[in-house]
Amino acid sequence: MMAIPNEKRKYSYADYLTWSEGKRHELIDGEIFDMSPAPSRGHQRVLRELSTAFSIFLRDKKCEVFFAPFDVRLLTENKHDNEINNVVQPDLSIVCDQEKLDDRGCNGAPDMIIEVLSPSSVKLDRWKKFHLYEKAGVKEYWLVDPVNESVEIHLLIGDYYKFQGVFTKDDSISVHVLTGLELDLNQIFL
């Protein structure tokens, strides 16, 4: 495996597959984003509770939940690996279309993506990924803030995300793409 080059150029999924293991990276419009340092303990705790809630609800259902590291290749229609330039590793991905799943992850837009914010990822999650997920057709996007114990929800209406609100520890929220799943945020933000 080769190390990631330092030169400033656009990269593809084919390049991504040659990089050294052990470090997590994402590609957005061919630009490399380093996913280190490792998430904080609070980030991991919130991610664990969300993963558990989704996993229990989805047991014996057609949708599946995946957590990072899990490659999601976006905007891939009729493209070869060397033409794909968007590969992300969302904290949580919910995929209901089994045809999108392969041995390398998800090829296409998950139904839902959850990003747990870290100080180093706020701009990326709120701006670049927000627009990428919107363009790719991710139906529901949550931004979870473990420090402020809040969840910001966006639903894809037509071609654009519509802000649904910010919910805090005392709220219960419904997952729009998974009928019947309601989360008590007191159980997520312990």
Side-chain angles (χ1 to χ4, degrees):
M1 298 281 198
M2 69 174 245
I4 295 181
N6 290 326
E7 62 186 278
K8 196 78 164 141
R9 74 169 182 96
K10 298 287 183 179
Y11 293 93
S12 71
Y13 183 56
D15 296 318
Y16 176 92
L17 291 173
T18 68
W19 297 339
S20 300
E21 294 182 30
K23 286 190 78 174
R24 289 181 44 219
H25 297 90
E26 294 180 311
L27 280 180
I28 299 177
D29 295 326
E31 186 179 345
I32 302 169
F33 291 89
D34 183 7
M35 299 308 294
S36 50
S40 71
R41 187 170 52 102
H43 179 285
Q44 291 296 84
R45 183 181 296 126
V46 167
L47 183 55
R48 179 193 66 221
E49 296 305 321
L50 285 166
S51 294
T52 300
F54 278 90
S55 295
I56 290 169
F57 180 80
L58 292 174
R59 189 169 292 146
D60 301 323
K61 292 183 175 63
K62 73 172 191 159
C63 300
E64 291 186 68
V65 62
F66 298 93
F67 48 90
F70 178 74
D71 286 348
V72 174
R73 301 174 312 259
L74 297 171
L75 305 171
T76 60
E77 296 74 18
N78 302 313
K79 292 182 180 176
H80 298 286
D81 289 351
N82 63 346
E83 299 170 306
I84 297 169
N85 61 6
N86 291 293
V87 185
V88 292
Q89 293 187 0
D91 287 307
L92 280 181
S93 302
I94 289 78
V95 182
C96 296
D97 181 353
Q98 297 296 308
E99 294 292 315
K100 292 182 179 179
L101 297 172
D102 60 26
D103 288 339
R104 299 190 293 179
C106 182
N107 186 17
D111 294 82
M112 179 179 187
I113 286 179
I114 298 174
E115 295 286 5
V116 180
L117 300 174
S118 298
S120 62
S121 75
V122 170
K123 185 176 179 182
L124 183 63
D125 293 336
R126 286 194 175 283
W127 183 250
K128 284 200 177 272
K129 286 186 178 181
F130 177 95
H131 292 293
L132 174 62
Y133 297 161
E134 181 179 64
K135 183 177 177 183
V138 175
K139 297 172 190 168
E140 187 165 353
Y141 181 37
W142 288 12
L143 292 155
V144 178
D145 183 341
V147 173
N148 295 308
E149 298 181 331
S150 66
V151 178
E152 180 180 316
I153 299 175
H154 301 273
L155 292 181
L156 194 65
I157 310 292
D159 292 335
Y160 300 99
Y161 278 135
K162 181 168 181 186
F163 175 69
Q164 301 299 299
V166 175
F167 303 88
T168 59
K169 190 172 180 173
D170 296 326
D171 295 319
S172 288
I173 54 178
S174 295
V175 179
H176 296 274
V177 299
L178 299 173
T179 304
L181 177 55
E182 187 167 309
L183 298 177
D184 177 353
L185 294 184
N186 271 311
Q187 300 299 311
I188 303 302
F189 301 112
L190 299 174

